[in-house]
Amino acid sequence: MDSRPADGAAAPPATGAPHRRTEELGADEALRLLGTVPLGRIVFTWHALPAVRPVNHVLDGGDIIVRVQDGSTVSALLAAQDGAGVVVAYEADAIDPATRLGWSVVATGYADAVTDPTDLDRYARLLQPWADAPPSRAVRIRPGVVTGFRLRADAP
């Protein structure tokens, strides 16, 4: 994919930007950072192709909990799996567009529907829906692999 502007001209290099370096994050630090932002993206397979949906989340004992609404793609996907869980990736980040500094985290694991009524009530209080439709499902992602990196300013 070409990332040049629509007129075909090459984007000018950033001027005055700090030198940057990438620092790998450990799984614990990556999950801690993921817990500091309310928004992420769930990545799953839909009709044999990758699909991505923005969702809000909360961490619960190392699991990532997201809310979905009836009839949503994620909800339909999990219903079709008959409780077996489905492999997903979850990505969240905080990168400043002006400085180009920040971090990004990806957690990959199995997702399944939360069915315990007490948990569902608690997640309903913690995760407010984006749309004016009654949220009805919660999805628990149990991360198996957590990776991340931080973009830091470095001395020139």
Side-chain angles (χ1 to χ4, degrees):
M1 175 178 222
D2 193 347
S3 62
R4 289 183 293 178
D7 65 4
T15 58
H19 294 278
R20 294 172 197 83
R21 64 183 166 90
T22 302
E23 173 185 284
E24 295 292 322
L25 299 172
D28 291 340
E29 175 68 358
L31 275 179
R32 184 193 70 73
L33 287 169
L34 189 139
T36 66
V37 296
L39 171 67
R41 288 154 292 283
I42 188 168
V43 182
F44 56 98
T45 303
W46 183 249
H47 296 295
L49 296 170
V52 181
R53 298 290 182 270
V55 292
N56 57 349
H57 67 267
V58 65
L59 291 183
D60 188 19
D63 293 340
I64 303 163
I65 310 299
V66 301
R67 287 287 294 276
V68 295
Q69 295 174 332
D70 275 344
S72 76
T73 305
V74 177
S75 202
L77 173 68
L78 292 178
Q81 297 299 316
D82 296 322
V86 60
V87 174
V88 300
Y90 192 78
E91 190 273 340
D93 54 49
I95 298 176
D96 184 297
T99 65
R100 300 180 186 179
L101 301 175
W103 56 267
S104 180
V105 170
V106 175
T108 305
Y110 286 93
D112 56 11
V114 175
T115 57
D116 180 85
T118 303
D119 286 342
L120 287 170
D121 286 343
R122 184 163 53 97
Y123 299 142
R125 289 188 305 275
L126 293 172
L127 294 167
Q128 297 301 314
W130 293 16
D132 291 335
S136 62
R137 306 271 314 261
V139 174
R140 178 184 315 275
I141 302 168
R142 298 185 190 273
V145 177
V146 180
T147 61
F149 66 90
R150 185 185 320 265
L151 294 167
R152 290 194 182 265
D154 213 0

